[in-house]
């Protein structure tokens, strides 16, 4: 650029030419800088999204490895016990977590298919009652819950990071992002596991 400016002066250009040329150079440099910054910003955002997905999938896998053996040794009698009238037994809490897995499986997949989706909510008490988890074998529930979550950990790990901001309208609630749903799924799971193992 300096060489060009010098050559223009040499060819008889005025100082106005030089100032114009410097102006163009400045605008071009600024333009390049802005584009480079935007590309870097988008790259960082993608990296952050990818990291969140990998971390969440690993956390879920770690929970399964740690918790599944503890669940397996709980007896049929203990798992059926309701702490008080109207409170869920361990079987019913784990059943609720299976319902959460199956509903969130739908959300995690459908939530990738378009930037805005509507999905019905689920009535948690009625789902637990209508399936009579209380009358199902504990070992079967533990096995289903464990396998379903192994699959969900895989599903989470392969969500494209550019889908994380997709909006999901669930029932009558305010829309939430797919990213929120994924994080909230594991938070909810930990909460109920605490009730079973606490
Ligand atoms: Ni719950």
């Amino acid at each position: 650029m300096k060489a060009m400016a010098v050559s223009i002066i040499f060819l008889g250009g005025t100082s106005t030419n030089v100032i114009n040329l410097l102006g163009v150079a400045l605008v071009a440099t600024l333009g390049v800088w802005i584009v480079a910054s935007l590309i870097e910003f988008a790259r960082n955002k993608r990296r952050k999204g990818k990291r969140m997905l990998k971390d969440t999938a690993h956390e879920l896998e770690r929970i399964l490895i740690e918790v599944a053996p503890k669940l397996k040794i709980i007896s049929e009698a203990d798992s059926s016990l309701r702490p008080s009238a109207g409170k869920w037994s361990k079987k019913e809490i784990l059943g609720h977590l299976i319902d959460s897995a199956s509903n969130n499986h739908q959300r995690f997949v459908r939530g990738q298919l378009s930037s805005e989706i509507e999905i019905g909510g689920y009535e948690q008490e009625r789902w637990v009652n209508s399936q009579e988890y209380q009358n199902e074998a504990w070992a079967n529930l533990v096995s289903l819950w464990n396998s379903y979550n192994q699959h969900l950990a895989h599903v989470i790990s392969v969500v494209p990071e550019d889908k994380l901001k997709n909006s999901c309208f669930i029932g009558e609630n305010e829309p939430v992002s797919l990213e929120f749903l994924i994080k909230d799924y594991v938070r909810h799971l930990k909460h109920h596991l605490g009730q079973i193992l606490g």
Side-chain angles (χ1 to χ4, degrees):
M1 195 52 66
K2 197 178 166 194
M4 278 176 74
V6 168
S7 73
I8 282 170
I9 293 168
F10 186 69
L11 290 168
T14 63
S15 59
T16 317
N17 291 122
V18 176
I19 289 167
N20 283 346
L21 202 67
L22 284 175
V24 169
L26 188 67
V27 169
T29 309
L30 256 176
V32 168
W33 180 78
I34 289 170
V35 170
S37 300
L38 285 174
I39 291 172
E40 189 54 25
F41 178 74
R43 243 188 231 145
N44 275 338
K45 222 172 137 193
R46 274 206 305 279
R47 263 188 229 126
K48 212 175 139 203
K50 201 80 207 150
R51 204 180 315 123
M52 186 285 285
L53 289 164
K54 294 276 176 230
D55 288 351
T56 308
H58 285 152
E59 184 183 13
L60 185 52
E61 282 163 356
R62 276 200 306 273
I63 291 171
L64 298 178
I65 290 168
E66 189 201 325
V67 168
K70 293 180 184 170
L71 293 179
K72 280 179 188 156
I73 57 170
I74 294 174
S75 71
E76 191 65 25
D78 185 12
S79 64
S80 304
L81 200 71
R82 288 192 175 119
S84 63
K87 285 233 168 188
W88 281 340
S89 65
K90 291 181 171 67
K91 277 186 181 180
E92 289 170 316
I93 296 173
L94 198 65
H96 169 59
L97 285 181
I98 291 168
D99 294 340
S100 169
S102 73
N103 277 274
N104 279 284
H105 182 201
Q106 296 277 324
R107 295 168 183 171
F108 295 167
V109 178
R110 293 180 191 280
Q112 297 176 37
L113 304 183
S114 98
S115 59
E116 278 192 6
I117 52 143
E118 283 179 38
I119 309 181
Y122 67 104
E123 295 165 85
Q124 306 183 354
E125 292 278 349
R126 293 178 78 182
W127 273 59
V128 166
N129 291 336
S130 67
Q131 293 169 83
E132 292 198 27
Y133 283 119
Q134 185 68 353
N135 296 322
E136 199 163 353
W138 173 247
N140 188 37
L141 297 177
V142 173
S143 160
L144 176 59
W145 173 82
N146 194 32
S147 295
Y148 214 147
N149 278 289
Q150 279 172 350
H151 177 59
L152 287 183
H154 168 72
V155 169
I156 290 169
S157 75
V158 296
V159 170
E161 57 275 16
D162 61 347
K163 307 291 180 191
L164 288 175
K165 295 300 169 202
N166 284 359
S167 290
C168 307
F169 293 75
I170 297 168
E172 301 296 310
N173 297 311
E174 288 291 305
V176 290
S177 66
L178 180 58
E179 178 173 6
F180 173 86
L181 286 175
I182 290 170
K183 287 181 184 166
D184 195 52
Y185 173 71
V186 177
R187 185 201 57 74
H188 174 259
L189 176 128
K190 288 197 286 191
H191 162 70
H192 284 299
L193 285 177
Q195 289 177 324
I196 294 175
L197 298 169

